[in-house]
Amino acid sequence: MSISRRKFLGWVGAAGLSTTIGKSASAATNKHFAGYPDSFAILHDTTLCVGCRSCEAACNKVNDLPPPDRPFTDLSVLETRRRTTTKAFTVVNKYDNPKKSGHPVFYKKQCNHCLEPACASACFVRAFKKTKTGAVVYDPSVCVGCRYCMIACPFEIPTYEYDQALTPRIRKCTMCHPRVIEGQLPGCVEACPMEALSFGKREDMIKIARERFRKYPDRYVNHIYGENEMGGTSWLYVSGAPFKALGMREDLGIKPAPELTAGALSSVPIIVGLWPVLLAGIYAVSKRKEKFAQTDQEEAVASALDKDRSEQSQPEEES
Amino acid sequence: MAHVTTGERKSIFSLFNFIALIVLGVGIYLTYLRFAGGLGAVTNLSDYNPWGIWISFDLLCGVALAAGGYVTSSAVYLFGMKKYHSAVRPAILTGFLGYALVFLAINYDVGRPWRLPYPLVVQQGTTSVLFEVGLCVATYLTVLFIEFSPAAMEWLGLKRARNLVVKLTILLTIFGVVLSTMHQSSLGALFLIVPSKLHPLWYSSYIPIYFFVTSIVAGLSMVIFESTLSHRFFAHKMDETHLKEANGVTLGFGKAASYVLAGYFAIKVLGISSGNLWHYLKTGYGTWYLVELLGFVALPSLLYAIGVRVKSLTLIKWTSVLAVLGVILNRFNVCLIAFNWHLPASERYFPHWMEIGISVFIVMIGLILYRFIVTRMPILYEHSDYKDAH
Ligand code: SF4
Ligand code: SF4
Ligand code: SF4
């Protein structure tokens, strides 16, 4: 925790967050959105993380998740590469440090709470909302269960309750939205014994990260993962090893997901507007051709008949 | 063309009935498992692989292969190709059945099918490509139903209503083309949002155009393919005009398909060079891509052209099978094989036999309905009361 509780509560009050729980999904528009001013972010300093799984345990508790397959004190699970599941909204994975062998690095994975979430833009019932706090929250009461959000998420975060027959939900980290609007810290941030997680305003988190780069230039790769990735996220990461070594994709680019489909969607009015006119035109032309063909044919028949008649009449004249 | 004799037909149909019975029985049981136990009980879907064959085959292939309806009706009614008129009704029927089955399959795939109207009536996710797909497919299913209805009304003797609907033909056809253009391409546009998951050879900002163009190929080829099948099994239901026009339909549609495939080949190559993706062709995925592009796009284009040239109906008919398989292969590649290519093999998806079982079950329902309808309603022949009414 890098901020005091009082300061944090002050922010919450200032942003009026305890009363307005995020307006309707402004994230789900085609317009570019650079994030709510004063929204929060969490900075994960992987150089401080020791892979203790306290954050996983806290997440499990605050979200009332079922007990884990292996107790949170069992660190052997770190040996296998894990992803988020319906039972674990966050997982810590261990990776070899390419710079210093024998000193593994850890990376905590969960929903990144994108500024312009792919999941929200993909959902056809707007079940996801980017709230003013920065959290991307999900409303199971409208979800149809099409799972397009899971396809769309570039970080492969949303999980689905495949074992539920009647009420399957998408499950993912909420950035502890319910706690934050009540002035509490996210469960994982509160639980981390190493201060590897910091919660605060996004701009401040970026400042803190830069400050650390400046102070300890040897310790960090000079890049804040999440500052611009996929248009920016509300989880930010700094690391000593290249991010790729932490299993994070470096090829995602900085274009926010909604922009990827905006072009195709904006062509809809063109099709709807132009196609009928064009097709009606084609119809008219082919109809006209047909008519001409018909008159042509009639004329041809008529002239043939004329010719026939005159040919027939000629001998009569002769005779 | 070898027409099946009455005796042979009987034994084929009793074999068909036998298989149909088994498939239906298994299908009903699997349906129970699916809705009692959730998706996990019958599928291999996972958090990494949320879409399986119910999307790649039933939705993506289903919609593409049902494109015969709009392709044929626009050729005849809008472009004035009257000589293909007898192909319209069977094409509309298969289109209608195809979309109805797509809708049925979607009910299996989504978690809470009873909420399928939500995107329309509760909250509209207009930024979603899937929203557009859903809206268009629902509307087009209705249009196809209306387009199909005259055949049913002639059968039921509802003269007045039938004549009313027939008056709307042009309007419905235009509507159908607009809707088809939109959702055929949007099915491709669904994948625009996943540049990081779909292999670069298949990911392209042109993917909506690719999907639309291949839907035309699928539509044309399916009309040829179906007419081959229905000549084998339902020739006794066809009237003079249908039998007379059928060869012309095969030749004409084969020619059109050859051109469209050639054009598609060209824009695919253009896509590769504009994205400068040549180096990927040397990889394993590249080989697979070339198999698709050369074996299932270039080859059918060539074979169609030769078939039309030498007027070989047999060649054109076999080529239609190849072209249809090509479109299916393309949809599988985009949705399953080249999707999640970055994941280790252990995280990849392979369908559970029960998923395949449900898909077969749904196709079987289509075949049964098709047979029920063509043996009763004026699809392959003109009703005697309405001759020359078009
Ligand atoms: S990480 Fe994925 S699930 Fe989380 S907000 Fe971004 S797109 Fe949505
Ligand atoms: S599964 Fe639910 S939340 Fe995800 S896109 Fe579909 S309707 Fe939206
Ligand atoms: S609680 Fe902190 S130190 Fe422990 S694994 Fe989580 S982030 Fe790392």
Side-chain angles (χ1 to χ4, degrees):
Chain A
M1 265 189 281
S2 62
I3 52 158
S4 77
R5 190 175 156 79
R6 231 193 41 220
K7 204 166 152 203
F8 168 58
L9 283 175
W11 285 338
V12 173
L17 293 170
S18 29
T19 46
T20 49
I21 308 169
K23 277 192 304 201
S24 71
S26 352
T29 63
N30 286 334
K31 276 185 232 103
H32 184 69
F33 176 74
Y36 288 108
D38 289 338
S39 74
F40 297 114
I42 297 171
L43 175 66
H44 178 28
D45 188 334
T46 62
T47 65
L48 300 174
C49 178
V50 294
C52 65
R53 298 185 73 204
S54 307
C55 47
E56 286 187 34
C59 177
N60 178 282
K61 200 168 134 227
V62 300
N63 287 300
D64 285 322
L65 296 178
D69 300 332
R70 308 259 280 279
F72 289 111
T73 47
D74 180 353
L75 297 185
S76 64
V77 297
L78 295 172
E79 300 303 328
T80 51
R81 191 73 49 88
R82 295 175 302 150
R83 62 154 292 153
T84 53
T85 67
T86 49
K87 284 157 107 189
F89 296 170
T90 185
V91 289
V92 179
N93 280 330
K94 179 169 141 188
Y95 298 87
D96 289 333
N97 189 343
K99 280 192 184 162
K100 243 201 254 167
S101 61
H103 289 80
V105 281
F106 301 92
Y107 155 56
K108 176 184 177 302
K109 188 184 179 84
Q110 74 297 305
C111 172
N112 281 328
H113 299 274
C114 308
L115 298 185
E116 295 180 72
C119 56
S121 111
C123 178
F124 68 162
V125 277
R126 277 195 281 128
F128 291 96
K129 284 185 176 66
K130 176 79 178 168
T131 64
K132 278 193 164 177
T133 60
V136 175
V137 296
Y138 161 77
D139 175 8
S141 74
V142 291
C143 174
V144 183
C146 68
R147 311 183 300 288
Y148 187 37
C149 49
M150 301 168 74
I151 294 278
C153 171
F155 302 105
E156 305 173 318
I157 295 304
T159 70
Y160 186 71
E161 294 177 320
Y162 287 105
D163 52 345
Q164 292 292 324
L166 296 176
T167 57
R169 289 169 299 176
I170 294 289
R171 304 293 274 154
K172 73 167 193 70
C173 157
T174 63
M175 211 168 141
C176 284
H177 183 66
R179 285 169 62 89
V180 168
I181 55 174
E182 279 173 7
Q184 288 173 289
L185 281 171
C188 56
V189 177
E190 197 173 74
C192 179
M194 302 305 294
E195 302 216 348
L197 303 172
S198 319
F199 178 88
K201 284 190 195 170
R202 190 165 183 271
E203 300 100 89
D204 294 344
M205 293 301 108
I206 291 172
K207 264 186 223 142
I208 289 174
R210 292 218 198 292
E211 189 61 23
R212 290 185 192 169
F213 292 170
R214 201 181 54 79
K215 268 201 200 142
Y216 314 101
D218 300 338
R219 215 162 100 189
Y220 294 100
V221 173
N222 190 1
H223 179 75
I224 307 172
Y225 193 100
E227 187 182 4
N228 295 311
E229 273 76 9
M230 291 307 294
T233 58
S234 296
W235 269 75
L236 303 164
Y237 306 84
V238 291
S239 164
F243 288 98
K244 212 171 166 187
L246 293 169
M248 298 163 83
R249 294 190 65 163
E250 291 180 329
D251 58 349
L252 295 178
I254 59 168
K255 197 190 250 189
E259 276 177 30
L260 294 166
T261 50
L265 286 170
S266 66
S267 70
V268 169
I270 302 176
I271 298 177
V272 174
L274 283 185
W275 247 156
V277 181
L278 213 71
L279 293 170
I282 290 171
Y283 170 65
V285 169
S286 72
K287 197 79 193 174
R288 214 172 127 80
K289 256 208 224 135
E290 206 174 281
K291 215 166 158 189
F292 273 141
Q294 213 176 349
T295 31
D296 274 359
Q297 205 179 4
E298 275 162 13
E299 273 167 19
V301 171
S303 71
L305 280 176
D306 276 352
K307 217 165 134 206
D308 226 30
R309 237 181 262 129
S310 56
E311 270 168 14
Q312 271 175 7
S313 55
Q314 260 167 14
E316 273 169 34
E317 270 171 42
E318 269 174 14
S319 67
Chain B
M1 157 118 17
H3 286 153
V4 181
T5 64
T6 320
E8 261 176 87
R9 203 165 56 227
K10 276 222 177 92
S11 70
I12 289 174
F13 279 149
S14 61
L15 178 69
F16 174 82
N17 288 345
F18 178 69
I19 297 173
L21 216 63
I22 296 177
V23 172
L24 290 187
V26 174
I28 290 167
Y29 178 61
L30 294 179
T31 303
Y32 163 74
L33 290 183
R34 152 68 186 92
F35 288 101
L39 283 171
V42 293
T43 70
N44 278 345
L45 298 176
S46 66
D47 288 333
Y48 277 125
N49 304 289
W51 284 358
I53 61 162
W54 293 347
I55 295 296
S56 57
F57 181 73
D58 296 55
L59 173 65
L60 298 184
C61 294
V63 167
L65 300 185
Y70 89 88
V71 170
T72 314
S73 59
S74 59
V76 172
Y77 295 128
L78 300 183
F79 292 84
M81 304 181 185
K82 290 271 149 71
K83 56 184 173 180
Y84 304 137
H85 191 268
S86 61
V88 172
R89 276 211 176 162
I92 292 285
L93 172 63
T94 23
F96 169 57
L97 287 178
Y99 276 84
L101 297 176
V102 165
F103 176 69
L104 178 64
I106 290 302
N107 281 279
Y108 283 81
D109 187 77
V110 303
R112 309 195 202 196
W114 47 92
R115 285 187 178 173
L116 276 171
Y118 276 27
L120 292 180
V121 295
V122 178
Q123 268 187 159
Q124 293 78 27
T126 47
T127 52
S128 171
V129 177
L130 194 61
F131 177 76
E132 194 203 325
V133 169
L135 192 64
C136 289
V137 169
T139 320
Y140 187 46
L141 180 57
T142 320
V143 170
L144 276 169
F145 175 72
I146 303 174
E147 286 188 295
F148 158 73
S149 66
M153 291 174 185
E154 286 171 18
W155 177 54
L156 297 170
L158 304 170
K159 233 177 193 164
R160 276 256 213 74
R162 180 259 178 214
N163 289 341
L164 202 75
V165 176
V166 166
K167 284 213 186 77
L168 298 175
T169 304
I170 297 299
L171 201 69
L172 289 170
T173 307
I174 292 182
F175 209 36
V177 177
V178 173
L179 290 167
S180 296
T181 313
M182 276 158 58
H183 70 262
Q184 293 285 2
S185 56
S186 297
L187 285 175
L190 284 176
F191 295 91
L192 284 176
I193 206 162
V194 289
S196 58
K197 294 183 181 177
L198 183 57
H199 191 284
L201 281 173
W202 282 272
Y203 183 86
S204 161
S205 46
Y206 300 131
I207 200 170
I209 299 172
Y210 295 161
F211 266 54
F212 175 63
V213 174
T214 42
S215 85
I216 301 176
V217 174
L220 293 167
S221 302
M222 276 303 279
V223 169
I224 299 174
F225 178 60
E226 279 160 38
S227 106
T228 312
L229 289 187
S230 45
H231 269 83
R232 244 184 111 66
F233 300 113
F234 301 109
H236 59 296
K237 284 281 163 197
M238 294 176 180
D239 63 5
E240 199 73 5
T241 335
H242 194 106
L243 290 169
K244 219 168 54 209
E245 287 182 4
N247 290 347
V249 170
T250 305
L251 281 169
F253 277 40
K255 190 168 172 185
S258 167
Y259 279 120
V260 180
L261 276 165
Y264 176 60
F265 182 81
I267 57 173
K268 285 287 260 196
V269 174
L270 205 73
I272 296 292
S273 62
S274 77
N276 205 4
L277 304 169
W278 300 107
H279 61 284
Y280 283 110
L281 292 179
K282 284 187 230 121
T283 63
Y285 275 100
T287 312
W288 185 236
Y289 184 83
L290 288 175
V291 168
E292 181 192 327
L293 192 63
L294 299 178
F296 293 88
V297 179
L299 184 63
S301 172
L302 191 70
L303 293 180
Y304 268 137
I306 295 174
V308 173
R309 197 78 203 261
V310 304
K311 294 209 162 36
S312 163
L313 296 175
T314 325
L315 181 58
I316 297 178
K317 281 168 186 167
W318 281 107
T319 309
S320 74
V321 177
L322 185 66
V324 167
L325 287 177
V327 176
I328 295 177
L329 178 67
N330 174 258
R331 300 306 191 258
F332 275 129
N333 278 340
V334 169
C335 189
L336 297 180
I337 297 169
F339 187 81
N340 272 343
W341 66 292
H342 61 290
L343 290 181
S346 58
E347 304 288 0
R348 300 294 302 272
Y349 161 89
F350 192 83
H352 193 281
W353 75 262
M354 292 200 265
E355 289 177 80
I356 302 173
I358 294 279
S359 289
V360 172
F361 170 63
I362 289 172
V363 171
M364 183 54 83
I365 293 179
L367 290 178
I368 293 169
L369 288 176
Y370 185 85
R371 187 174 73 159
F372 178 88
I373 293 171
V374 295
T375 49
R376 282 168 183 78
M377 300 180 198
I379 302 293
L380 302 173
Y381 61 93
E382 277 179 82
H383 195 288
S384 51
D385 293 356
Y386 305 92
K387 281 241 158 99
D388 305 320
H390 311 279

